[in-house]
């Protein structure tokens, strides 16, 4: 076997120009696929993180029928025992108050969703406070301060420090209206929040709408060691009589996309690498054709068809291994750059996917899968590319091959 490797290595460099072109093509493809895999994996990671950490949480609990027909009156009447039980088991829980109404500035008015938040518990569950684009987040010492969604602020032509009038119907059927001051404006978070969210303190919400107790929504983050489906089963048990859903059920299109995305990566790998396999197939067929007499001599002196096949396969795989060594080395600085600085795609700043805003900067990830998957796919397709020339060589008739001109 050692002798076969020596012969194969000599044959690889018998035509250096062809070998260099083949290896360079495989190296470039591998480099591009590793970096692409890193960025795409990072994009998927950040998209799921944003969905869970900023708005949805891992799970949500609503009163029965609320999601079908949202209403100020359809509430979780006593959310505290549910939250206390789950928090004792390591869950993080926050309660939200929700209501529709009219938000108005000095120049215009539009529909809005008012959200009452408990700052302390919300900070443990959601990272939305980190998404402030202008101004500052809510403060318990400023009950009249509100934070607006990005697009809502543009629609109202309103800025930090301006006044906002809130109009709606209160819990007792009377008119709910009050004057608030805009403390901050969010960056692009999600389509619903961007277009209509008015975030305020829970106490201010209760004062505005006259809601004495209860909550419209519980948002939960599960302990890291608890699988999502197991968490769903446990929360459904604790919140019996209410609707409990995971973020995957709340955003099925996003969940489906994330599930199928890694298959898309493999498809892209295959598409690019099939071209490489065709190149290797062509190069190895040429190599076999040029060495028909030599292969005939080798078979005549006792080299078995199995060893001839192995010789051709080894030649192809040696070129792939050289490409892997070079491509892997070149990928290291690119992976580090993508992890630390990311890929700035400013044009995606206002693009949404399944209601989630895409990040303008896509950061890469460095993991064994990011590096190993492109390498394994390359080796597999190169192997397929050299099998046909190898079989052709192994079936040569020694006498006819030695007489070949």
């Amino acid at each position: 076997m050692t002798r076969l490797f020596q012969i194969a290595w000599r044959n690889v460099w018998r035509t250096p120009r062809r070998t260099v072109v083949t290896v360079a093509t495989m190296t470039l493809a591998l480099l591009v696929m590793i970096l692409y895999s890193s960025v795409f994996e990072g994009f998927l990671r950040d998209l799921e993180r944003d969905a869970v950490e900023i708005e949805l949480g891992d799970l949500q609990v609503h009163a029965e029928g609320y999601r079908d027909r949202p209403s100020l009156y359809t509430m979780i009447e006593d959310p505290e025992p549910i939250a206390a039980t789950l928090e004792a088991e390591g869950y993080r829980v926050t309660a939200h108050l929700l209501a529709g109404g009219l938000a108005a500035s000095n120049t215009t008015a539009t529909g809005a969703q008012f959200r009452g938040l408990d700052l302390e518990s919300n900070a443990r569950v959601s990272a939305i406070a980190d998404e402030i684009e202008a101004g500052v987040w809510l403060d318990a010492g400023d009950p009249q301060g509100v934070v607006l969604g990005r697009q809502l602020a543009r629609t109202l032509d309103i800025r930090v420090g301006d006044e906002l009038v809130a109009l709606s119907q209160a819990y007792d059927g009377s008119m709910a209206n009050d004057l608030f001051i805009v403390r901050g404006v969010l960056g692009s978070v999600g389509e619903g929040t961007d277009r209509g969210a008015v975030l305020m303190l829970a106490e201010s919400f209760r004062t505005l709408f006259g809601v004495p107790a209860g909550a419209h929504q519980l948002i939960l983050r599960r302990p890291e060691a608890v699988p999502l489906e197991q968490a769903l089963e446990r929360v459904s048990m604790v919140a019996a009589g209410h609707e409990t859903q995971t973020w995957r059920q709340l955003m099925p299109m996003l969940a489906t996309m994330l599930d199928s995305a890694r298959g898309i990566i493999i498809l892209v790998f295959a598409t690019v690498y099939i071209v490489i396999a065709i190149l290797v197939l062509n190069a190895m067929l040429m190599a076999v054709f040029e060495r028909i007499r030599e292969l005939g001599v080798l078979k005549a002196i006792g080299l078995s068809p199995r060893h001839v096949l192995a010789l051709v396969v080894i030649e192809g795989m040696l070129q792939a291994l050289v490409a892997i060594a070079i491509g892997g080395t070149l990928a290291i600085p690119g992976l580090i750059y993508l992890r630390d600085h990311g890929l700035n795609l400013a044009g995606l700043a206002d693009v949404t996917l399944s209601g989630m805003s895409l990040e303008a900067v896509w950061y890469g990830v460095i993991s064994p899968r990011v590096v190993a998957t492109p390498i394994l796919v390359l080796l597999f397709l190169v192997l397929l590319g050299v099998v046909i020339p190898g079989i052709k060589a192994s079936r040569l008739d020694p006498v006819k091959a030695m007489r070949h001109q």
Side-chain angles (χ1 to χ4, degrees):
M1 185 60 70
T2 302
R3 185 61 177 165
L4 278 179
F5 274 95
Q6 292 175 346
I7 296 172
W9 183 253
R10 182 201 65 189
N11 290 339
V12 164
W13 296 106
R14 177 178 291 182
T15 53
R17 180 177 298 177
R18 183 166 63 212
T19 298
V20 168
V21 171
T22 303
V23 170
T25 305
M26 286 192 287
T27 299
L28 179 61
L30 178 65
L31 175 62
V32 170
M33 288 299 99
I34 289 176
L35 298 181
Y36 167 80
S37 178
S38 174
V39 171
F40 203 73
E41 287 281 357
F43 163 70
L44 296 178
R45 175 202 62 190
D46 293 343
L47 189 62
E48 181 174 348
R49 181 200 64 199
D50 289 348
V52 171
E53 291 187 359
I54 296 178
E55 289 202 279
L56 296 178
D58 291 312
L59 305 103
Q60 292 186 9
V61 178
H62 300 87
E64 191 74 33
Y66 178 85
R67 282 186 52 77
D68 294 330
R69 295 184 59 126
S71 168
L72 182 66
Y73 306 101
T74 307
M75 304 182 69
I76 304 170
E77 299 294 341
D78 194 10
E80 287 78 11
I82 298 174
T85 300
L86 292 171
E87 286 178 348
E89 298 177 12
Y91 290 81
R92 289 169 284 160
V93 186
T94 188
H96 285 186
L97 294 158
L98 307 173
L102 194 69
S105 64
N106 290 331
T107 58
T108 188
T110 188
Q113 184 190 54
F114 297 92
R115 304 181 189 176
L117 313 179
D118 177 79
L119 293 187
E120 183 179 351
S121 63
N122 196 75
R124 297 195 303 268
V125 173
S126 171
I128 195 169
D130 299 329
E131 300 300 314
I132 291 291
E133 184 176 70
V136 293
W137 182 238
L138 299 172
D139 189 293
D142 182 11
Q144 296 307 110
V146 295
V147 170
L148 305 186
R150 182 184 189 185
Q151 189 60 43
L152 177 62
R154 291 179 179 177
T155 301
L156 296 174
D157 191 21
I158 202 168
R159 295 171 179 79
V160 174
D162 290 349
E163 294 180 342
L164 176 82
V165 177
L167 298 171
S168 187
Q169 180 177 320
Y171 193 78
D172 61 3
S174 64
M175 177 68 71
N177 64 88
D178 205 345
L179 186 67
F180 295 90
I181 303 298
V182 177
R183 287 179 55 86
V185 176
L186 294 169
S188 187
V189 173
E191 190 171 4
T193 299
D194 291 352
R195 289 185 177 182
V198 178
L199 309 181
M200 61 179 62
L201 300 177
E203 295 79 4
S204 302
F205 182 100
R206 294 188 188 280
T207 301
L208 174 64
F209 289 95
V211 177
H216 297 100
Q217 178 187 67
L218 294 180
I219 298 180
L220 302 91
R221 296 296 306 278
R222 59 191 165 91
E224 291 186 7
V226 179
L228 188 61
E229 292 305 317
Q230 183 179 330
L232 173 62
E233 183 178 346
R234 177 55 183 159
V235 174
S236 298
M237 185 182 301
V238 174
H242 301 89
E243 294 180 355
T244 302
Q245 295 169 303
T246 68
W247 72 266
R248 300 177 68 86
Q249 294 169 322
L250 293 166
M251 298 192 71
M253 290 184 61
L254 178 61
T256 301
M257 192 210 75
L258 292 173
D259 289 340
S260 60
R262 290 185 178 87
I264 295 174
I265 295 178
I266 298 297
L267 180 62
V268 173
F269 287 164
T271 303
V272 173
Y273 284 159
I274 282 173
V275 178
I276 305 302
I278 293 172
L279 173 66
V280 173
L281 171 64
N282 180 66
M284 295 309 298
L285 281 173
M286 291 178 62
V288 169
F289 181 78
E290 291 172 355
R291 304 198 324 263
I292 288 180
R293 295 183 64 185
E294 177 185 327
L295 292 170
V297 171
L298 289 174
K299 294 192 70 175
I301 63 177
L303 198 66
S304 67
R306 178 170 58 87
H307 286 98
V308 172
L309 172 62
L311 177 65
V312 176
V313 170
I314 291 171
E315 290 178 20
M317 298 309 287
L318 282 175
Q319 294 178 73
L321 290 174
V322 171
I324 289 170
I326 299 173
T329 302
L330 294 176
I332 292 174
L335 288 171
I336 294 174
Y337 177 85
L338 290 173
R339 182 194 64 187
D340 296 341
H341 302 283
L343 189 63
N344 194 335
L345 301 172
L348 296 178
D350 295 317
V351 177
T352 61
L353 181 65
S354 297
M356 295 298 301
S357 294
L358 299 184
E359 296 284 349
V361 180
W362 291 10
Y363 290 94
V365 296
I366 301 177
S367 68
R369 179 168 59 188
V370 163
V371 178
T373 302
I375 290 176
L376 292 175
V377 176
L378 175 63
L379 288 173
F380 176 71
L381 290 178
V382 169
L383 179 61
L384 290 182
V386 298
V387 164
I388 294 176
I391 293 174
K392 181 178 179 64
S394 68
R395 291 180 175 177
L396 288 174
D397 181 87
V399 176
K400 292 182 180 179
M402 287 188 293
R403 291 177 178 175
H404 181 77
Q405 298 296 326

